[in-house]
Amino acid sequence: MCSHYLPDRLQANCCSERAHIKSITAVLSFSLAFFALLFSAEGGSCCFHCPQHEITFLKALFTTFLLFYFGKKNKMNLCLGQVFSKDKTFRPRKRFEPGTQRFELYKKAQASLKSGLDLRKVVQLPEGESLNDWIAVHVVDFFNRINLIYGTVSEFCSERTCPIMSGGPRYEYRWQDGDHYKRPTKLPALMYMNLLMDWIETLINNEDIFPTRIGVPFPKNFQQVCKKILSRLFRVFVHVYIHHFDVICSMGAEAHINTCYKHYYFFISEFSLIEHSELEPLKEMTEKICN
């Protein structure tokens, strides 16, 4: 990664006008996805049947509509069609079953996040809790959040714009899963991301790796599996920050993404879950926003 490439873009106070039309779709997509994330905080269930939530949701969409309608009226129908296309979907969130220890840990972690505590303290293992359970809760939560982040920019990440999964000119990521891709293989970023999310989703839904039944122990290689998942999720941050930061800016979502990244970074640092060499692509940015 060129030393001047990422910081200059991150320090920009406004984004290029060339991304403005696309930002209409992006903001609407982000609003819809963020609403689902917000109201699934208590275990992953989105309460659209609740009248108050419906009102909040409609207000959010209406406000977004007003922001762009008068300036780009002739583009609105096209953009709404893109947002609500059958192909534009977000993955269902992985849920924690109410009444389980992991559900209680998840609620505790979410409460700490909302309390405004220092993120360095939020990620620390609560006294008397299992480290593996704490890691499991966060791996699933980061999967949900990072998958959502990529979902908001995925329509701008095509084989044409991102023919290789990379993080700037110096970092390229190849896919290998030991099954369909037995050797490291160059892939477009969108295909790489889809394979990555499928791979992680399969792992976290595997009872032999992420057991949910009381009394069932974690496998001996559990933390190694989590390290691999978190390492690959970091690549999503790399690609989004370096190649799609203009879109993030145009949505006004940089603060949200930065907070998610800091939470992720402090967690993996607290428990030494990723090698420092893996974090090199975002080293300069990390020093700016995390120190």
Side-chain angles (χ1 to χ4, degrees):
M1 181 179 62
C2 296
S3 60
H4 64 279
Y5 183 69
L6 181 61
D8 286 348
R9 302 180 72 201
L10 289 173
Q11 291 170 3
N13 291 324
C14 60
C15 296
S16 173
E17 184 65 22
R18 60 186 169 78
H20 187 68
I21 300 298
K22 289 184 178 180
S23 72
I24 303 173
T25 305
V27 172
L28 283 170
S29 300
F30 183 79
S31 299
L32 179 61
F34 185 74
F35 175 81
L37 178 65
L38 178 65
F39 289 104
S40 60
E42 294 301 323
S45 177
C46 187
C47 305
F48 280 102
H49 61 274
C50 173
Q52 184 60 43
H53 290 180
E54 288 182 6
I55 292 171
T56 304
F57 172 61
L58 291 173
K59 282 182 178 179
L61 283 185
F62 183 66
T63 300
T64 305
F65 177 82
L66 289 178
L67 287 173
F68 291 103
Y69 178 77
F70 293 103
K72 302 295 178 183
K73 179 178 179 181
N74 61 327
K75 298 292 183 179
M76 184 57 66
N77 288 336
L78 173 62
C79 290
L80 285 174
Q82 292 172 346
V83 171
F84 296 105
S85 166
K86 293 181 180 179
D87 297 328
K88 180 66 177 177
T89 59
F90 292 91
R91 293 166 185 267
R93 288 168 52 83
K94 170 68 176 178
R95 302 179 181 184
F96 300 105
E97 290 297 326
T100 63
Q101 180 184 15
R102 216 163 293 163
F103 179 75
E104 296 304 319
L105 278 176
Y106 174 76
K107 289 203 301 182
K108 184 181 294 186
Q110 293 303 305
S112 296
L113 278 174
K114 294 175 183 178
S115 69
L117 291 174
D118 184 344
L119 286 173
R120 292 178 180 84
K121 295 181 179 179
V122 167
V123 301
Q124 293 173 358
L125 179 66
E127 186 176 354
E129 300 293 353
S130 160
L131 176 58
N132 281 344
D133 274 317
W134 191 238
I135 291 176
V137 165
H138 281 81
V139 167
V140 172
D141 190 39
F142 288 135
F143 166 69
N144 286 332
R145 293 174 184 274
I146 296 171
N147 176 55
L148 173 61
I149 288 170
Y150 181 70
T152 64
V153 301
S154 61
E155 63 192 281
F156 308 105
C157 185
S158 65
E159 292 190 18
R160 181 183 62 82
T161 60
C162 306
I164 297 174
M165 174 58 182
S166 61
R170 285 183 54 191
Y171 298 97
E172 178 181 298
Y173 300 115
R174 301 185 181 188
W175 182 255
Q176 180 180 18
D177 55 21
D179 187 12
H180 295 95
Y181 297 87
K182 298 185 183 299
R183 296 182 178 180
T185 305
K186 285 186 178 182
L187 294 173
L190 181 61
M191 185 181 297
Y192 183 102
M193 296 293 191
N194 286 331
L195 288 169
L196 173 60
M197 298 306 175
D198 284 343
W199 175 75
I200 297 175
E201 195 168 32
T202 298
L203 288 174
I204 63 179
N205 287 325
N206 187 336
E207 284 286 331
D208 293 331
I209 302 174
F210 282 77
T212 58
R213 297 185 300 275
I214 297 175
V216 178
F218 288 94
K220 293 181 178 179
N221 68 335
F222 174 71
Q223 291 190 23
Q224 291 302 316
V225 172
C226 289
K227 287 179 180 181
K228 190 71 172 178
I229 291 173
L230 291 167
S231 175
R232 289 188 171 184
L233 282 175
F234 176 75
R235 298 174 184 182
V236 182
F237 278 122
V238 173
H239 185 75
V240 169
Y241 268 120
I242 294 178
H243 294 279
H244 300 291
F245 194 70
D246 283 348
V247 175
I248 298 299
C249 280
S250 68
M251 291 189 289
E254 58 267 42
H256 173 72
I257 306 301
N258 287 347
T259 298
C260 183
Y261 177 74
K262 287 192 287 185
H263 185 199
Y264 167 91
Y265 174 77
F266 290 138
F267 183 79
I268 62 172
S269 299
E270 176 72 14
F271 301 105
S272 303
L273 294 172
I274 294 185
E275 296 292 333
H276 287 293
S277 58
E278 290 275 348
L279 304 175
E280 192 67 25
L282 295 181
K283 181 180 178 180
E284 292 182 33
M285 186 202 75
T286 301
E287 290 176 349
K288 288 179 179 292
I289 70 174
C290 294
N291 295 328

